[in-house]
Amino acid sequence: MSGHKLDEIDRKILAELQADGRMTNVELAKRVGISAPPCLRRVRTLEEVGYITGYHAVVNARALHFEVQVYAMVGLSSQAESDLQAFETLCLNWPLVRECHMLNGEVDFILKCVAPDLSSFQSFLTSELLTAANVASVKTSLVIRGAKDLPGVPFDVLEKRLAKNS
Amino acid sequence: MSGHKLDEIDRKILAELQADGRMTNVELAKRVGISAPPCLRRVRTLEEVGYITGYHAVVNARALHFEVQVYAMVGLSSQAESDLQAFETLCLNWPLVRECHMLNGEVDFILKCVAPDLSSFQSFLTSELLTAANVASVKTSLVIRGAKDLPGVPFDVLEKRLAKNS
DNA sequence: AGTGAAAGTACAGCTGA
DNA sequence: TCAGCTGTACTTTCACT
């Protein structure tokens, strides 16, 4: 993957599939300006080499009665590597935790959680997260509303940078 | 959408497409145990009615030289609704800001940002975010590493709840 | 079930080191 | 000349009625 160089068409493919991951290959080929077979080969290569790591439908959490989204800031007692990994493993096994990122600064981890309602989140918080080994502090913030939620990277920024450096 | 009831097959479809959004319709139909034509009708309906709001390829940000991920906690001076909306509009126009959620508690917004490197994030921070109208405080945390990053909702939790309530 | 379109394959031609 | 990519032609599979 490190040895693989992207050209402008590859970047267009990535941008298009990031915007619409279920686009047909012929539509994609038309948009990026090549014919379908080479376009499909490029997509396969981008997948194999790791530029594309998956495709997901975005499902409406509210409609499925997951009404609550919470960010949890977690501080640990020990920041030894083995203890960090132990906490990450816990997170992987908690289905309500959708994202877990290790941070610098005062807080060690930020978790993005979903739950059907406040009470089921509270029971997760008190009986799972707060009682987990090595957890020193948890600060939670409810999401009131979402204003923006885009996946991945801004390709317009990428293209501008490439234009400058050429 | 409120009037639409999901059955078990619909939920399976959502779970499968959340896991692999580029699956062909025949593969999807096989997995959920029905034939292809009704499966496709169900998918179209789920899209139209708003259970599925989009499909995205997951692109590898690191490989595209977006090396830096940052969470920014933003406090505003005024929480009047018009001022909240003004800030949300700003966020929509900042390409480096990928997510913007309004929170309860001491902090007003959490932003998830990406950038090619630390210096370009710093220049965004100092010349855009910190100087924006109504912004009172910004606390940033660099993502050291990601441990978990799943989209959407945990369907196993959903199914367990439905089993209980029946 | 059946039609029309898309995915995927094989092969030959073009282009640049 | 050779590697790599492209497009045309063709078969198989899928989408859609």
Side-chain angles (χ1 to χ4, degrees):
Chain A
M1 139 129 125
S2 32
H4 201 272
K5 274 287 163 204
L6 296 180
D7 63 10
E8 195 187 336
I9 293 176
D10 289 319
R11 295 194 302 272
K12 273 191 193 171
I13 289 174
L14 291 173
E16 292 290 344
L17 287 179
Q18 178 174 280
D20 179 3
R22 216 174 156 76
M23 188 183 303
T24 65
N25 182 59
V26 299
E27 173 66 19
L28 179 61
K30 197 168 67 182
R31 292 196 186 199
V32 305
I34 60 177
S35 66
C39 184
L40 184 63
R41 281 194 293 268
R42 280 168 181 264
V43 172
R44 292 285 176 266
T45 304
L46 291 171
E47 289 166 356
E48 283 164 16
V49 165
Y51 284 96
I52 297 175
T53 59
Y55 301 89
H56 302 293
V58 181
V59 306
N60 185 335
R62 279 248 154 67
L64 293 169
H65 304 110
F66 281 79
E67 313 278 354
V68 169
Q69 271 189 64
V70 184
Y71 280 95
M73 308 301 221
V74 178
L76 301 184
S77 310
S78 156
Q79 282 85 22
E81 177 59 24
S82 61
D83 293 320
L84 296 172
Q85 288 183 17
F87 181 73
E88 290 174 342
T89 303
L90 283 177
C91 287
L92 288 173
N93 290 317
W94 283 324
L96 295 187
V97 175
R98 306 310 286 165
E99 298 182 27
C100 168
H101 308 282
M102 185 175 153
L103 300 180
N104 76 340
E106 38 194 310
V107 148
D108 294 306
F109 287 94
I110 186 169
L111 311 186
K112 185 182 193 175
C113 309
V114 298
D117 48 51
L118 257 183
S119 74
S120 53
F121 175 76
Q122 290 294 347
S123 82
F124 161 73
L125 179 64
T126 55
S127 65
E128 301 277 347
L129 185 52
L130 283 169
T131 60
N134 197 28
V135 168
S137 69
V138 178
K139 270 211 295 197
T140 61
S141 284
L142 251 166
V143 173
I144 305 294
R145 69 183 186 217
K148 183 176 187 177
D149 198 350
L150 296 180
V153 300
F155 279 93
D156 48 352
V157 172
L158 179 61
E159 295 298 335
K160 270 182 203 158
R161 284 176 65 86
L162 292 171
K164 266 189 198 167
N165 301 353
S166 68
Chain B
M1 140 131 122
S2 32
H4 201 272
K5 274 287 167 204
L6 296 180
D7 64 10
E8 193 187 337
I9 293 177
D10 289 320
R11 295 194 302 272
K12 274 191 192 171
I13 289 174
L14 291 173
E16 292 289 345
L17 288 179
Q18 178 174 280
D20 179 4
R22 216 174 157 75
M23 191 184 301
T24 65
N25 182 59
V26 300
E27 173 65 20
L28 179 62
K30 198 168 68 184
R31 293 195 184 200
V32 305
I34 60 177
S35 65
C39 184
L40 185 63
R41 277 195 299 271
R42 280 168 182 265
V43 172
R44 292 284 175 268
T45 304
L46 291 171
E47 289 166 356
E48 282 163 18
V49 165
Y51 284 96
I52 296 174
T53 59
Y55 300 89
H56 302 292
V58 181
V59 306
N60 185 335
R62 279 248 154 67
L64 293 170
H65 304 109
F66 280 79
E67 313 280 354
V68 169
Q69 251 183 312
V70 184
Y71 280 95
M73 308 299 224
V74 178
L76 300 184
S77 309
S78 157
Q79 282 84 20
E81 177 58 25
S82 62
D83 294 320
L84 296 172
Q85 287 183 17
F87 180 73
E88 290 174 342
T89 303
L90 283 177
C91 288
L92 288 172
N93 290 317
W94 283 324
L96 295 187
V97 175
R98 306 310 287 167
E99 297 182 28
C100 169
H101 308 282
M102 187 175 151
L103 301 181
N104 76 338
E106 35 193 312
V107 147
D108 294 307
F109 287 94
I110 186 169
L111 313 185
K112 185 182 193 175
C113 309
V114 298
D117 48 52
L118 257 182
S119 73
S120 55
F121 176 75
Q122 290 294 347
S123 83
F124 162 73
L125 179 63
T126 54
S127 67
E128 301 278 346
L129 185 52
L130 283 169
T131 60
N134 198 28
V135 168
S137 70
V138 178
K139 269 211 296 198
T140 61
S141 285
L142 251 166
V143 173
I144 305 294
R145 69 184 187 215
K148 184 175 187 178
D149 198 349
L150 296 179
V153 300
F155 279 93
D156 48 351
V157 171
L158 178 61
E159 294 299 334
K160 269 182 204 157
R161 285 176 64 87
L162 292 171
K164 265 189 199 166
N165 300 355
S166 67

Short mmCIF file of all heavy atoms in Angstrom, two decimals, chain A residues 5-36:
data_model
loop_
_atom_site.label_atom_id
_atom_site.label_comp_id
_atom_site.label_asym_id
_atom_site.label_seq_id
_atom_site.Cartn_x
_atom_site.Cartn_y
_atom_site.Cartn_z
N LYS A 5 0.82 4.43 -5.76
CA LYS A 5 0.59 5.86 -6.00
C LYS A 5 -0.78 6.08 -6.62
O LYS A 5 -1.18 5.37 -7.55
CB LYS A 5 1.68 6.40 -6.96
CG LYS A 5 2.94 6.84 -6.23
CD LYS A 5 2.71 8.16 -5.49
CE LYS A 5 3.81 8.40 -4.45
NZ LYS A 5 3.37 9.29 -3.37
N LEU A 6 -1.47 7.05 -6.09
CA LEU A 6 -2.79 7.38 -6.62
C LEU A 6 -2.67 8.45 -7.69
O LEU A 6 -1.94 9.42 -7.52
CB LEU A 6 -3.67 7.93 -5.49
CG LEU A 6 -4.01 6.99 -4.35
CD1 LEU A 6 -4.88 7.70 -3.34
CD2 LEU A 6 -4.70 5.76 -4.87
N ASP A 7 -3.41 8.27 -8.79
CA ASP A 7 -3.50 9.37 -9.74
C ASP A 7 -4.85 10.07 -9.55
O ASP A 7 -5.61 9.75 -8.64
CB ASP A 7 -3.31 8.86 -11.18
CG ASP A 7 -4.40 7.89 -11.59
OD1 ASP A 7 -5.38 7.74 -10.84
OD2 ASP A 7 -4.25 7.25 -12.64
N GLU A 8 -5.10 11.04 -10.42
CA GLU A 8 -6.29 11.86 -10.24
C GLU A 8 -7.56 11.02 -10.35
O GLU A 8 -8.54 11.26 -9.63
CB GLU A 8 -6.30 12.98 -11.29
CG GLU A 8 -7.29 14.07 -10.98
CD GLU A 8 -7.40 15.08 -12.11
OE1 GLU A 8 -6.43 15.20 -12.89
OE2 GLU A 8 -8.46 15.73 -12.21
N ILE A 9 -7.55 10.02 -11.24
CA ILE A 9 -8.73 9.19 -11.41
C ILE A 9 -8.99 8.37 -10.15
O ILE A 9 -10.13 8.25 -9.70
CB ILE A 9 -8.56 8.28 -12.64
CG1 ILE A 9 -8.55 9.13 -13.91
CG2 ILE A 9 -9.68 7.25 -12.71
CD1 ILE A 9 -8.29 8.34 -15.18
N ASP A 10 -7.95 7.83 -9.55
CA ASP A 10 -8.12 7.08 -8.30
C ASP A 10 -8.75 7.97 -7.22
O ASP A 10 -9.65 7.54 -6.50
CB ASP A 10 -6.76 6.57 -7.80
CG ASP A 10 -6.21 5.45 -8.67
OD1 ASP A 10 -7.00 4.59 -9.08
OD2 ASP A 10 -5.01 5.45 -8.94
N ARG A 11 -8.26 9.17 -7.12
CA ARG A 11 -8.81 10.07 -6.09
C ARG A 11 -10.26 10.41 -6.38
O ARG A 11 -11.09 10.49 -5.47
CB ARG A 11 -7.96 11.34 -6.01
CG ARG A 11 -6.54 11.08 -5.54
CD ARG A 11 -5.83 12.36 -5.14
NE ARG A 11 -5.77 13.34 -6.22
CZ ARG A 11 -4.80 13.39 -7.13
NH1 ARG A 11 -3.79 12.55 -7.10
NH2 ARG A 11 -4.81 14.31 -8.08
N LYS A 12 -10.59 10.57 -7.65
CA LYS A 12 -12.00 10.81 -8.01
C LYS A 12 -12.86 9.61 -7.62
O LYS A 12 -13.97 9.76 -7.11
CB LYS A 12 -12.12 11.05 -9.52
CG LYS A 12 -11.92 12.49 -9.95
CD LYS A 12 -12.33 12.61 -11.42
CE LYS A 12 -11.87 13.92 -12.03
NZ LYS A 12 -12.08 13.92 -13.50
N ILE A 13 -12.35 8.42 -7.87
CA ILE A 13 -13.09 7.21 -7.51
C ILE A 13 -13.34 7.19 -6.01
O ILE A 13 -14.46 6.94 -5.55
CB ILE A 13 -12.32 5.95 -7.95
CG1 ILE A 13 -12.36 5.81 -9.47
CG2 ILE A 13 -12.90 4.71 -7.30
CD1 ILE A 13 -11.50 4.67 -10.01
N LEU A 14 -12.30 7.46 -5.24
CA LEU A 14 -12.46 7.47 -3.78
C LEU A 14 -13.48 8.50 -3.35
O LEU A 14 -14.34 8.23 -2.50
CB LEU A 14 -11.11 7.74 -3.12
CG LEU A 14 -10.06 6.64 -3.23
CD1 LEU A 14 -8.73 7.10 -2.69
CD2 LEU A 14 -10.52 5.38 -2.51
N ALA A 15 -13.43 9.68 -3.95
CA ALA A 15 -14.37 10.74 -3.58
C ALA A 15 -15.80 10.34 -3.92
O ALA A 15 -16.72 10.54 -3.13
CB ALA A 15 -13.98 12.05 -4.27
N GLU A 16 -15.97 9.75 -5.09
CA GLU A 16 -17.32 9.37 -5.51
C GLU A 16 -17.89 8.26 -4.63
O GLU A 16 -19.04 8.29 -4.23
CB GLU A 16 -17.31 8.91 -6.98
CG GLU A 16 -17.03 10.02 -7.99
CD GLU A 16 -18.18 11.02 -8.11
OE1 GLU A 16 -19.29 10.70 -7.65
OE2 GLU A 16 -17.96 12.12 -8.65
N LEU A 17 -17.05 7.27 -4.32
CA LEU A 17 -17.54 6.15 -3.51
C LEU A 17 -17.72 6.55 -2.05
O LEU A 17 -18.55 5.98 -1.35
CB LEU A 17 -16.59 4.95 -3.63
CG LEU A 17 -16.65 4.20 -4.95
CD1 LEU A 17 -15.66 3.05 -4.96
CD2 LEU A 17 -18.06 3.68 -5.23
N GLN A 18 -16.96 7.53 -1.61
CA GLN A 18 -17.20 8.04 -0.26
C GLN A 18 -18.56 8.73 -0.21
O GLN A 18 -19.28 8.62 0.77
CB GLN A 18 -16.10 9.02 0.16
CG GLN A 18 -16.33 9.61 1.53
CD GLN A 18 -15.16 10.47 2.01
OE1 GLN A 18 -14.17 9.98 2.47
NE2 GLN A 18 -15.30 11.78 1.86
N ALA A 19 -18.90 9.42 -1.28
CA ALA A 19 -20.18 10.14 -1.32
C ALA A 19 -21.34 9.19 -1.57
O ALA A 19 -22.42 9.37 -1.00
CB ALA A 19 -20.14 11.22 -2.40
N ASP A 20 -21.15 8.18 -2.40
CA ASP A 20 -22.21 7.20 -2.67
C ASP A 20 -21.59 5.84 -2.89
O ASP A 20 -21.18 5.50 -3.99
CB ASP A 20 -23.04 7.62 -3.89
CG ASP A 20 -24.12 6.59 -4.20
OD1 ASP A 20 -24.26 5.60 -3.45
OD2 ASP A 20 -24.84 6.77 -5.20
N GLY A 21 -21.55 5.06 -1.84
CA GLY A 21 -20.86 3.78 -1.86
C GLY A 21 -21.59 2.68 -2.60
O GLY A 21 -21.04 1.60 -2.78
N ARG A 22 -22.82 2.95 -3.03
CA ARG A 22 -23.56 1.90 -3.72
C ARG A 22 -23.74 2.22 -5.20
O ARG A 22 -24.48 1.54 -5.92
CB ARG A 22 -24.93 1.69 -3.05
CG ARG A 22 -25.38 0.23 -3.04
CD ARG A 22 -26.65 0.01 -2.26
NE ARG A 22 -27.35 -1.18 -2.70
CZ ARG A 22 -26.98 -2.42 -2.38
NH1 ARG A 22 -25.93 -2.61 -1.63
NH2 ARG A 22 -27.67 -3.46 -2.83
N MET A 23 -23.07 3.26 -5.67
CA MET A 23 -23.11 3.61 -7.08
C MET A 23 -22.67 2.42 -7.93
O MET A 23 -21.75 1.70 -7.57
CB MET A 23 -22.14 4.78 -7.28
CG MET A 23 -22.17 5.43 -8.62
SD MET A 23 -20.90 6.71 -8.68
CE MET A 23 -21.36 7.73 -7.30
N THR A 24 -23.34 2.22 -9.07
CA THR A 24 -22.90 1.13 -9.94
C THR A 24 -21.56 1.47 -10.57
O THR A 24 -21.18 2.64 -10.67
CB THR A 24 -23.91 0.89 -11.08
OG1 THR A 24 -23.94 2.04 -11.92
CG2 THR A 24 -25.29 0.62 -10.54
N ASN A 25 -20.89 0.42 -11.02
CA ASN A 25 -19.57 0.64 -11.60
C ASN A 25 -19.64 1.43 -12.89
O ASN A 25 -18.75 2.24 -13.17
CB ASN A 25 -18.89 -0.71 -11.85
CG ASN A 25 -17.52 -0.54 -12.41
OD1 ASN A 25 -16.66 0.09 -11.78
ND2 ASN A 25 -17.28 -1.06 -13.60
N VAL A 26 -20.68 1.27 -13.68
CA VAL A 26 -20.75 2.01 -14.94
C VAL A 26 -21.02 3.49 -14.67
O VAL A 26 -20.45 4.37 -15.34
CB VAL A 26 -21.82 1.44 -15.90
CG1 VAL A 26 -21.51 0.02 -16.25
CG2 VAL A 26 -23.20 1.59 -15.35
N GLU A 27 -21.85 3.77 -13.68
CA GLU A 27 -22.07 5.17 -13.30
C GLU A 27 -20.77 5.78 -12.81
O GLU A 27 -20.41 6.90 -13.18
CB GLU A 27 -23.15 5.24 -12.21
CG GLU A 27 -23.36 6.62 -11.61
CD GLU A 27 -23.93 7.62 -12.60
OE1 GLU A 27 -24.48 7.19 -13.63
OE2 GLU A 27 -23.79 8.84 -12.35
N LEU A 28 -20.07 5.05 -11.97
CA LEU A 28 -18.78 5.51 -11.44
C LEU A 28 -17.80 5.79 -12.58
O LEU A 28 -17.15 6.84 -12.62
CB LEU A 28 -18.21 4.47 -10.48
CG LEU A 28 -16.86 4.77 -9.84
CD1 LEU A 28 -16.92 6.02 -9.00
CD2 LEU A 28 -16.40 3.58 -9.01
N ALA A 29 -17.73 4.83 -13.51
CA ALA A 29 -16.81 4.98 -14.64
C ALA A 29 -17.13 6.23 -15.45
O ALA A 29 -16.24 7.00 -15.83
CB ALA A 29 -16.89 3.74 -15.53
N LYS A 30 -18.42 6.46 -15.67
CA LYS A 30 -18.84 7.64 -16.42
C LYS A 30 -18.38 8.91 -15.71
O LYS A 30 -17.86 9.84 -16.32
CB LYS A 30 -20.36 7.62 -16.57
CG LYS A 30 -20.89 8.53 -17.65
CD LYS A 30 -22.37 8.25 -17.94
CE LYS A 30 -23.26 8.63 -16.78
NZ LYS A 30 -24.69 8.31 -17.05
N ARG A 31 -18.56 8.93 -14.38
CA ARG A 31 -18.24 10.15 -13.63
C ARG A 31 -16.75 10.44 -13.61
O ARG A 31 -16.35 11.60 -13.57
CB ARG A 31 -18.73 10.01 -12.19
CG ARG A 31 -20.24 10.00 -12.11
CD ARG A 31 -20.69 10.26 -10.70
NE ARG A 31 -22.13 10.11 -10.60
CZ ARG A 31 -22.85 10.62 -9.62
NH1 ARG A 31 -22.25 11.30 -8.66
NH2 ARG A 31 -24.16 10.45 -9.60
N VAL A 32 -15.93 9.39 -13.55
CA VAL A 32 -14.49 9.64 -13.47
C VAL A 32 -13.85 9.68 -14.85
O VAL A 32 -12.65 9.95 -14.96
CB VAL A 32 -13.78 8.60 -12.58
CG1 VAL A 32 -14.42 8.56 -11.19
CG2 VAL A 32 -13.80 7.23 -13.22
N GLY A 33 -14.64 9.40 -15.89
CA GLY A 33 -14.14 9.61 -17.24
C GLY A 33 -13.34 8.48 -17.87
O GLY A 33 -12.53 8.73 -18.76
N ILE A 34 -13.56 7.25 -17.43
CA ILE A 34 -12.96 6.11 -18.10
C ILE A 34 -14.05 5.07 -18.34
O ILE A 34 -15.17 5.24 -17.88
CB ILE A 34 -11.79 5.48 -17.29
CG1 ILE A 34 -12.28 5.00 -15.93
CG2 ILE A 34 -10.65 6.47 -17.15
CD1 ILE A 34 -11.23 4.32 -15.11
N SER A 35 -13.71 3.99 -19.05
CA SER A 35 -14.73 2.98 -19.30
C SER A 35 -14.82 2.02 -18.12
O SER A 35 -13.97 2.02 -17.23
CB SER A 35 -14.40 2.22 -20.58
OG SER A 35 -13.22 1.49 -20.41
N ALA A 36 -15.84 1.21 -18.13
CA ALA A 36 -16.18 0.43 -16.94
C ALA A 36 -15.11 -0.58 -16.51
O ALA A 36 -14.79 -0.65 -15.33
CB ALA A 36 -17.52 -0.25 -17.15
#
